[in-house]
Amino acid sequence: NHRIRKGEKMKVSILVGANAYACIDNDGVKTDIRLYAGRSPSQSLREYAKHLRQQAAGHQARATLAEVAADALESRKVTA
């Protein structure tokens, strides 16, 4: 699990072809992120990050729901 720290050396380049990508090299870990058309690269990356965080929040909520449901089943001693 790679940690990202503020101030860490990072290389970012933009590759433009049929689509545009931000090519990120963070301490040897490389990631390419497709950029949204009609937005600046930085705006596109911020929107991408926001989208991922919204998805993560949904996954977190469903994970919590599953754990609570498991606890409810155990407290009632319900089996499959």
Side-chain angles (χ1 to χ4, degrees):
N1 199 0
H2 187 73
R3 299 227 180 254
I4 300 169
R5 289 180 283 284
K6 223 174 189 178
E8 188 172 354
K9 299 256 182 194
M10 177 185 292
K11 295 177 186 175
V12 182
S13 58
I14 304 300
L15 176 66
V16 180
N19 296 298
Y21 291 86
C23 303
I24 304 164
D25 183 340
N26 184 52
D27 195 28
V29 177
K30 296 180 181 186
T31 304
D32 295 339
I33 298 173
R34 186 174 172 180
L35 301 174
Y36 300 118
R39 294 168 183 80
S40 71
S42 59
Q43 180 184 17
S44 186
L45 287 169
R46 291 184 199 290
E47 288 180 24
Y48 176 82
K50 180 181 177 182
H51 175 74
L52 285 183
R53 286 194 175 96
Q54 288 171 339
Q55 283 186 323
H59 289 299
Q60 190 71 31
R62 286 187 294 282
T64 299
L65 179 65
E67 288 174 334
V68 170
D71 291 345
L73 288 172
E74 286 177 348
S75 70
R76 294 186 299 186
K77 306 221 186 285
V78 174
T79 60

